Amino acid sequence: MDVELEQVLAAIGPRLRSLRRDRGMTLEALSAETGISVSGLSRIESGKRRPTLELLIPLARAHRVALDQLIAAPATGDPRVHLTPLRRRKGSVLVPLTQYPGRLQVFKQVIAPCPRRLVTHAGYEWLFVLAGELLLVVGERELTLRPGEVAEFDTAEPHWFGPGGDHPVEILHIFGKHGDKARVRARPPGHPAD
Protein backbone atom coordinates (compact mmCIF):
# COMPACT_ATOMS: atom_id res chain seq x y z
CA MET A 1 0.00 0.00 0.00
CA ASP A 2 1.39 3.44 -0.82
CA VAL A 3 2.47 5.71 2.01
CA GLU A 4 -0.05 8.48 1.27
CA LEU A 5 -2.99 6.05 1.33
CA GLU A 6 -1.71 4.55 4.58
CA GLN A 7 -1.60 8.04 6.15
CA VAL A 8 -5.15 8.85 4.99
CA LEU A 9 -6.49 5.59 6.46
CA ALA A 10 -4.57 6.03 9.73
CA ALA A 11 -6.07 9.52 10.25
CA ILE A 12 -9.72 8.40 10.00
CA GLY A 13 -9.99 6.96 13.53
CA PRO A 14 -8.60 10.01 15.36
CA ARG A 15 -10.75 12.28 13.17
CA LEU A 16 -13.88 10.28 14.11
CA ARG A 17 -12.95 10.42 17.81
CA SER A 18 -12.47 14.19 17.59
CA LEU A 19 -15.84 14.69 15.86
CA ARG A 20 -17.61 12.60 18.49
CA ARG A 21 -15.94 14.40 21.40
CA ASP A 22 -16.58 17.83 19.86
CA ARG A 23 -20.27 16.95 19.83
CA GLY A 24 -20.10 15.82 23.47
CA MET A 25 -21.32 12.38 22.39
CA THR A 26 -20.53 9.07 24.10
CA LEU A 27 -19.65 5.88 22.26
CA GLU A 28 -22.92 4.44 23.55
CA ALA A 29 -24.98 7.30 22.08
CA LEU A 30 -23.15 7.05 18.74
CA SER A 31 -23.69 3.29 18.73
CA ALA A 32 -27.43 3.78 19.28
CA GLU A 33 -27.57 6.29 16.41
CA THR A 34 -25.50 4.29 13.90
CA GLY A 35 -26.16 0.66 14.81
CA ILE A 36 -22.40 0.05 15.09
CA SER A 37 -21.35 -1.69 18.31
CA VAL A 38 -19.53 0.27 21.01
CA SER A 39 -16.52 -2.03 20.72
CA GLY A 40 -16.52 -1.62 16.93
CA LEU A 41 -16.61 2.17 17.26
CA SER A 42 -13.83 2.08 19.84
CA ARG A 43 -11.66 -0.09 17.59
CA ILE A 44 -12.24 2.23 14.60
CA GLU A 45 -11.41 5.36 16.63
CA SER A 46 -8.23 3.78 18.04
CA GLY A 47 -7.10 2.67 14.57
CA LYS A 48 -7.31 -1.05 15.42
CA ARG A 49 -10.00 -1.55 12.78
CA ARG A 50 -10.18 -0.05 9.29
CA PRO A 51 -13.65 1.33 8.62
CA THR A 52 -15.47 0.14 5.50
CA LEU A 53 -17.76 2.29 3.42
CA GLU A 54 -20.73 0.56 5.11
CA LEU A 55 -19.45 1.92 8.45
CA LEU A 56 -18.33 5.36 7.23
CA ILE A 57 -21.69 6.31 5.70
CA PRO A 58 -23.72 6.01 8.95
CA LEU A 59 -20.89 7.75 10.84
CA ALA A 60 -20.89 10.67 8.38
CA ARG A 61 -24.68 10.95 8.74
CA ALA A 62 -24.50 10.81 12.53
CA HIS A 63 -21.85 13.55 12.64
CA ARG A 64 -23.59 15.54 9.86
CA VAL A 65 -20.46 15.83 7.77
CA ALA A 66 -19.66 14.88 4.19
CA LEU A 67 -17.98 11.54 3.69
CA ASP A 68 -14.90 13.22 2.18
CA GLN A 69 -14.47 15.19 5.43
CA LEU A 70 -14.16 11.92 7.35
CA ILE A 71 -11.43 10.61 5.11
CA ALA A 72 -9.81 13.99 4.35
CA ALA A 73 -10.06 13.46 0.62
CA PRO A 74 -7.76 15.73 -1.36
CA ALA A 75 -9.38 18.89 -2.68
CA THR A 76 -10.31 18.86 -6.35
CA GLY A 77 -11.44 21.43 -8.86
CA ASP A 78 -11.72 25.13 -8.14
CA PRO A 79 -10.12 25.93 -4.74
CA ARG A 80 -12.65 28.72 -4.13
CA VAL A 81 -15.35 26.07 -3.70
CA HIS A 82 -13.62 24.31 -0.79
CA LEU A 83 -14.95 25.90 2.36
CA THR A 84 -13.23 25.84 5.73
CA PRO A 85 -15.47 25.01 8.68
CA LEU A 86 -14.72 26.78 11.94
CA ARG A 87 -15.31 24.69 15.07
CA ARG A 88 -17.10 26.48 17.85
CA ARG A 89 -18.11 25.20 21.30
CA LYS A 90 -18.71 21.45 21.62
CA GLY A 91 -20.52 20.16 18.58
CA SER A 92 -21.09 23.52 16.87
CA VAL A 93 -19.63 24.33 13.46
CA LEU A 94 -19.73 27.55 11.43
CA VAL A 95 -18.99 27.49 7.69
CA PRO A 96 -18.62 30.95 6.11
CA LEU A 97 -20.15 30.84 2.61
CA THR A 98 -19.27 34.42 1.67
CA GLN A 99 -16.18 36.58 2.13
CA TYR A 100 -17.53 40.06 1.43
CA PRO A 101 -16.53 42.52 4.14
CA GLY A 102 -19.20 45.10 4.86
CA ARG A 103 -21.94 43.27 2.92
CA LEU A 104 -24.39 40.50 3.69
CA GLN A 105 -22.62 37.54 5.27
CA VAL A 106 -23.90 34.00 4.70
CA PHE A 107 -23.06 31.04 6.92
CA LYS A 108 -24.05 27.42 7.23
CA GLN A 109 -24.18 26.49 10.89
CA VAL A 110 -24.60 23.37 12.97
CA ILE A 111 -25.52 24.50 16.46
CA ALA A 112 -25.19 22.11 19.40
CA PRO A 113 -27.35 22.46 22.53
CA CYS A 114 -26.24 25.50 24.50
CA PRO A 115 -27.50 27.77 27.29
CA ARG A 116 -29.76 30.68 26.38
CA ARG A 117 -28.13 34.10 26.46
CA LEU A 118 -30.01 36.98 24.85
CA VAL A 119 -27.81 39.43 22.93
CA THR A 120 -28.28 42.63 20.94
CA HIS A 121 -26.12 44.19 18.24
CA ALA A 122 -26.49 46.21 15.07
CA GLY A 123 -27.76 44.35 12.04
CA TYR A 124 -30.52 42.21 10.58
CA GLU A 125 -30.66 38.39 10.43
CA TRP A 126 -32.44 35.66 8.48
CA LEU A 127 -32.43 32.03 9.62
CA PHE A 128 -33.45 29.11 7.37
CA VAL A 129 -33.70 25.68 9.02
CA LEU A 130 -32.12 22.83 7.05
CA ALA A 131 -32.37 20.00 9.63
CA GLY A 132 -33.58 19.65 13.21
CA GLU A 133 -35.61 22.16 15.21
CA LEU A 134 -34.51 25.73 15.89
CA LEU A 135 -35.75 27.60 18.94
CA LEU A 136 -35.71 31.35 18.29
CA VAL A 137 -36.23 33.88 21.05
CA VAL A 138 -36.73 37.51 19.97
CA GLY A 139 -37.73 39.83 22.80
CA GLU A 140 -40.72 38.20 24.53
CA ARG A 141 -41.55 35.88 21.59
CA GLU A 142 -40.45 32.27 21.24
CA LEU A 143 -40.77 30.35 17.98
CA THR A 144 -39.90 26.77 17.07
CA LEU A 145 -38.84 26.50 13.44
CA ARG A 146 -38.62 23.23 11.52
CA PRO A 147 -36.87 22.33 8.25
CA GLY A 148 -37.90 24.67 5.43
CA GLU A 149 -39.08 27.44 7.76
CA VAL A 150 -37.53 30.91 7.84
CA ALA A 151 -37.37 33.77 10.34
CA GLU A 152 -36.04 37.31 10.03
CA PHE A 153 -35.50 39.93 12.72
CA ASP A 154 -33.71 43.12 13.66
CA THR A 155 -30.74 42.26 15.89
CA ALA A 156 -31.19 45.43 17.94
CA GLU A 157 -33.95 43.48 19.71
CA PRO A 158 -32.68 41.00 22.36
CA HIS A 159 -32.44 37.58 20.72
CA TRP A 160 -31.06 34.04 20.99
CA PHE A 161 -31.33 30.94 18.81
CA GLY A 162 -30.28 27.33 19.20
CA PRO A 163 -31.56 23.76 19.07
CA GLY A 164 -35.17 23.23 20.11
CA GLY A 165 -34.19 19.97 21.86
CA ASP A 166 -31.22 17.80 22.75
CA HIS A 167 -29.93 17.42 19.18
CA PRO A 168 -27.99 19.90 17.02
CA VAL A 169 -29.84 22.01 14.46
CA GLU A 170 -28.50 22.88 11.00
CA ILE A 171 -29.30 26.29 9.52
CA LEU A 172 -28.41 28.80 6.84
CA HIS A 173 -27.73 32.12 8.55
CA ILE A 174 -27.69 35.42 6.67
CA PHE A 175 -26.49 38.49 8.53
CA GLY A 176 -26.56 42.11 7.39
CA LYS A 177 -24.14 43.98 9.65
CA HIS A 178 -25.49 47.40 8.74
CA GLY A 179 -29.16 46.43 8.90
CA ASP A 180 -29.21 45.48 5.21
CA LYS A 181 -32.40 43.66 4.29
CA ALA A 182 -32.99 41.25 1.45
CA ARG A 183 -35.01 42.58 -1.45
CA VAL A 184 -37.65 40.12 -2.60
CA ARG A 185 -38.11 40.66 -6.35
CA ALA A 186 -40.25 37.67 -7.30
CA ARG A 187 -43.17 36.14 -5.45
CA PRO A 188 -45.71 33.51 -6.47
CA PRO A 189 -49.06 34.89 -7.71
CA GLY A 190 -51.48 35.62 -4.91
CA HIS A 191 -48.68 36.00 -2.30
CA PRO A 192 -49.94 38.11 0.68
CA ALA A 193 -47.25 40.77 0.06
CA ASP A 194 -48.64 41.46 -3.44
Side-chain angles (χ1 to χ4, degrees):
M1 186 178 303
D2 85 21
V3 175
E4 184 180 352
L5 179 58
E6 185 63 39
Q7 290 171 341
V8 167
L9 291 172
I12 293 172
R15 188 172 297 109
L16 285 167
R17 178 182 296 124
S18 177
L19 280 168
R20 179 180 57 79
R21 288 180 175 169
D22 284 351
R23 293 182 64 208
M25 190 176 227
T26 64
L27 283 170
E28 291 78 11
L30 185 58
S31 174
E33 192 169 332
T34 62
I36 302 168
S37 71
V38 171
S39 63
L41 290 169
S42 177
R43 291 180 67 223
I44 290 168
E45 288 186 0
S46 66
K48 294 178 181 168
R49 177 179 180 187
R50 295 262 166 98
T52 63
L53 190 56
E54 289 79 16
L55 297 174
L56 287 174
I57 289 172
L59 287 167
R61 284 184 185 143
H63 292 306
R64 293 191 171 111
V65 297
L67 190 56
D68 62 344
Q69 285 181 267
L70 288 185
I71 60 173
T76 59
D78 188 339
R80 293 170 294 179
V81 176
H82 300 288
L83 306 171
T84 306
L86 307 170
R87 298 248 174 239
R88 298 292 186 202
R89 63 187 170 273
K90 282 189 175 182
S92 294
V93 178
L94 177 74
V95 181
L97 301 177
T98 57
Q99 304 290 328
Y100 308 118
R103 292 174 45 198
L104 287 178
Q105 299 293 305
V106 182
F107 307 94
K108 180 178 179 187
Q109 284 183 270
V110 175
I111 307 170
C114 55
R116 269 190 215 191
R117 186 175 63 88
L118 294 173
V119 296
T120 60
H121 51 86
Y124 201 84
E125 290 183 324
W126 298 265
L127 308 173
F128 179 86
V129 181
L130 297 168
E133 286 190 351
L134 180 75
L135 177 61
L136 171 62
V137 179
V138 180
E140 300 294 320
R141 298 166 300 195
E142 281 191 20
L143 298 166
T144 298
L145 303 170
R146 291 175 179 75
E149 295 184 318
V150 180
E152 65 177 307
F153 56 94
D154 188 325
T155 59
E157 193 167 355
H159 63 280
W160 174 89
F161 53 89
D166 296 332
H167 300 287
V169 62
E170 187 174 347
I171 66 170
L172 282 180
H173 178 181
I174 303 173
F175 174 63
K177 188 174 187 175
H178 304 292
D180 303 337
K181 295 183 182 181
R183 294 181 299 260
V184 178
R185 299 201 47 199
R187 289 191 171 93
H191 188 275
D194 288 342

